[in-house]
Amino acid sequence: MVNKKQNKQNRIIIPCIRFRQNGKEMFSGTIKLSQLVELNTKVDQFMAKDLNTNRLGYQRAPEPRRAKKFGDYISQGETSPTGILLSIREEDTKLHAEVEEYSSGSNTDFPIVDTDIVKISIDPDCLVYVVDGQHRLTGIENCDVYGKLADYAIPFTLLWGNDKYQEANQFVIINKTQKIVRTDLAERFVAMESKRRGLTNISNDPNTAIFKNAEWIGPALDILDSLTKKSKIWSNRVKLPNEPKGETTVSQKSFTDSLEILLTDSLNGKKECDIVDILDAFWDAIKQNCPEPFDTTGQYSAKDYALQQTIGVMAMHRVLNRLYKNLWKVIKPKHFIELLNADEIANHEHWDRTLPIKDDDVNKGGKWTLMGTNNKSFRIIEGNIMRGIMKSKIYKQLEKEQENSN
């Protein structure tokens, strides 16, 4: 058993205020930069390699430029009154950190109600998780924290005895609810909580706004993760949180948003594995009819085409939804190749972002790339493509089979 007092002579001692919210103990105070850099701080980052493991984090990697701006800012004599949010998890509060009371009577005249003054004693190897404020902590690394900024005081609040999921909940509340910021990491958190707590429980969560789309976000991410593993077309094309852009063509958020209409409409109720198979066959059929955007020989580049970008996934998944709504009794993935042979899809120039425009020396782009990236544009593209598909022999045949089955 580890002796909690074995490193006590080297511990960092921080005087602070102890308070409670709904029975949960927390601490607040200020810490000098010269002390802050001595803490064993850690940011629990989301890493794609940790998917489906209990190591999966919830934060982005810090942006060096943004962090440097903060360091430069305080080095120039500016103030930073906003507090950072730290956390010592339950296992470390038992082994590497403790609350020390002041001697009797020292809190008698303390004027803030329901609080007391204590000291937090922290081992040098105790993990202190940075829930909010990672750019500030990263930014001070190159500052003169043992010189002119040694006594620079940073306000903090310290969570005590929480677990990763409680930390992640606070992280999302700060970055989504208060700042009204939707991130791909917030989606991952929602999906993680949906699995851990169940949809019924999170629907009754007081932070319901965070989980309002949980019913489809969780399945959408599972489908995306499965599709990128199964489909060569989508392998390395979707940018996940904290992953380099590389050869990716569309963000996680754009792709999951494009699946919403399928998961809440025509494919609602289908097994996720079946939806993955449908999407795999659907995009394979698109590739067979319009191969240029998917070329891997170097003659064409996927990044030059909107087909695997936001415009393409949003419009084409709307088309897929329409096909299943109109032909739900008879349509099968085997029909996709013929159905998607319409010029509106198969003509690669419609999706080409680099296509010269006659009498225009400034702008470039094909028919669909010039229409914008809003929902109205996606609906217009869907409508035009569907009109082309509905002229085909196979569509008319399936439409007749659908009518006869009623």
Side-chain angles (χ1 to χ4, degrees):
M1 181 175 177
V2 177
N3 181 359
K4 285 188 68 172
K5 296 185 178 181
Q6 63 183 5
N7 294 319
K8 195 161 184 176
Q9 67 275 17
N10 298 319
R11 282 185 166 183
I12 298 168
I13 308 298
I14 308 170
C16 55
I17 298 170
R18 174 170 55 191
F19 62 98
R20 294 172 179 83
Q21 293 180 347
N22 292 325
K24 198 72 178 175
E25 193 173 51
M26 304 179 206
F27 304 88
S28 185
T30 62
I31 183 170
K32 296 178 180 180
L33 288 188
S34 54
Q35 284 185 304
L36 184 57
V37 294
E38 295 296 325
L39 294 177
N40 185 22
T41 54
K42 179 179 179 179
V43 176
D44 203 352
Q45 292 184 27
F46 174 97
M47 304 290 284
K49 66 182 179 63
D50 292 332
L51 283 169
N52 301 316
T53 73
N54 59 10
R55 300 187 304 275
L56 188 66
Y58 56 89
Q59 291 207 50
R60 290 184 183 276
E63 299 171 17
R65 182 178 298 179
R66 182 178 167 192
K68 184 179 182 300
K69 281 184 178 179
F70 177 77
D72 293 342
Y73 178 77
I74 63 171
S75 295
Q76 293 165 6
E78 298 293 342
T79 61
S80 177
T82 307
I84 59 177
L85 183 59
L86 307 174
S87 175
I88 298 180
R89 294 181 182 173
E90 186 175 13
E91 60 269 26
D92 284 313
T93 63
K94 296 176 181 178
L95 297 174
H96 302 297
E98 60 184 335
V99 180
E100 297 181 2
E101 306 286 346
Y102 278 93
S103 59
S104 178
S106 60
N107 287 321
T108 304
D109 298 321
F110 193 61
I112 302 178
V113 178
D114 296 328
T115 62
D116 53 348
I117 303 174
V118 296
K119 292 183 287 186
I120 300 293
S121 176
I122 305 173
D123 285 343
D125 54 354
C126 177
L127 279 174
V128 180
Y129 288 89
V130 183
V131 182
D132 187 61
Q134 63 159 316
H135 285 94
R136 280 169 281 176
L137 264 69
T138 304
I140 67 174
E141 289 178 355
N142 295 318
C143 293
D144 189 11
V145 295
Y146 296 111
K148 70 175 184 178
L149 292 177
D151 293 329
Y152 191 103
I154 293 285
F156 73 90
T157 296
L158 175 67
L159 303 177
W160 187 261
N162 283 236
D163 59 27
K164 174 169 66 177
Y165 303 104
Q166 292 168 315
E167 286 176 10
N169 188 60
Q170 292 298 325
F171 171 76
V172 173
I173 288 171
I174 291 168
N175 290 284
K176 183 175 169 65
T177 304
Q178 294 183 7
K179 298 181 182 178
I180 319 299
V181 175
R182 181 182 177 186
T183 67
D184 45 10
L185 289 172
E187 288 187 330
R188 291 286 175 178
F189 168 74
V190 169
M192 180 172 62
E193 286 296 271
S194 297
K195 291 178 181 178
R196 191 175 74 91
R197 294 163 57 188
L199 280 172
T200 301
N201 288 330
I202 63 173
S203 64
N204 295 322
D205 191 284
N207 300 301
T208 307
I210 296 173
F211 301 109
K212 66 178 182 179
N213 294 321
E215 186 175 359
W216 63 266
I217 284 179
L221 284 168
D222 287 341
I223 289 166
L224 168 61
D225 292 339
S226 296
L227 184 65
T228 54
K229 290 178 182 177
K230 179 177 183 176
S231 169
K232 290 183 179 179
I233 290 174
W234 285 108
S235 177
N236 300 319
R237 290 298 185 204
V238 181
K239 188 182 182 307
L240 299 178
N242 289 342
E243 292 297 295
K245 189 171 183 180
E247 294 303 309
T248 63
T249 55
V250 66
S251 69
Q252 171 190 289
K253 181 182 179 298
S254 290
F255 199 95
T256 53
D257 281 353
S258 76
L259 295 178
E260 178 185 4
I261 193 168
L262 292 166
L263 296 175
T264 59
D265 196 4
S266 65
L267 300 186
N268 185 22
K270 283 189 176 291
K271 294 180 180 179
E272 290 177 12
C273 59
D274 293 335
I275 297 175
V276 171
D277 289 341
I278 290 170
L279 287 168
D280 187 31
F282 182 71
W283 282 97
D284 186 64
I286 294 172
K287 178 183 177 182
Q288 289 192 50
N289 283 296
C290 185
E292 289 86 355
F294 304 92
D295 177 69
T296 57
T297 67
Q299 183 177 359
Y300 302 95
S301 171
K303 292 187 177 183
D304 290 339
Y305 291 91
L307 193 48
Q308 282 188 282
Q309 298 173 12
T310 299
I311 293 173
V313 295
M314 294 297 288
M316 292 309 300
H317 288 164
R318 293 185 69 89
V319 168
L320 180 60
N321 186 62
R322 280 277 295 277
L323 289 172
Y324 268 86
K325 283 190 73 172
N326 295 356
L327 306 170
W328 62 278
K329 288 186 177 181
V330 295
I331 191 170
K332 298 287 189 298
K334 66 181 181 181
H335 300 129
F336 289 160
I337 293 176
E338 286 186 79
L339 284 168
L340 303 178
N341 192 33
D343 178 78
E344 287 79 2
I345 298 170
N347 187 341
H348 72 97
E349 291 188 350
H350 292 331
W351 306 100
D352 191 347
R353 289 187 173 279
T354 66
L355 191 70
I357 300 173
K358 187 177 180 180
D359 300 324
D360 189 336
D361 296 330
V362 178
N363 299 302
K364 292 182 179 182
K367 186 175 182 179
W368 306 138
T369 69
L370 297 173
M371 299 193 70
T373 54
N374 54 61
N375 285 326
K376 181 179 179 182
S377 299
F378 304 147
R379 287 194 295 270
I380 293 172
I381 297 171
E382 168 208 346
N384 287 332
I385 291 175
M386 279 303 301
R387 279 189 284 276
I389 290 173
M390 292 168 75
K391 295 175 184 176
S392 67
K393 181 179 178 181
I394 182 65
Y395 185 90
K396 292 176 180 178
Q397 176 188 324
L398 292 172
E399 189 176 42
K400 189 171 183 179
E401 291 179 16
Q402 176 84 10
E403 292 172 358
N404 293 338
S405 66
N406 293 330

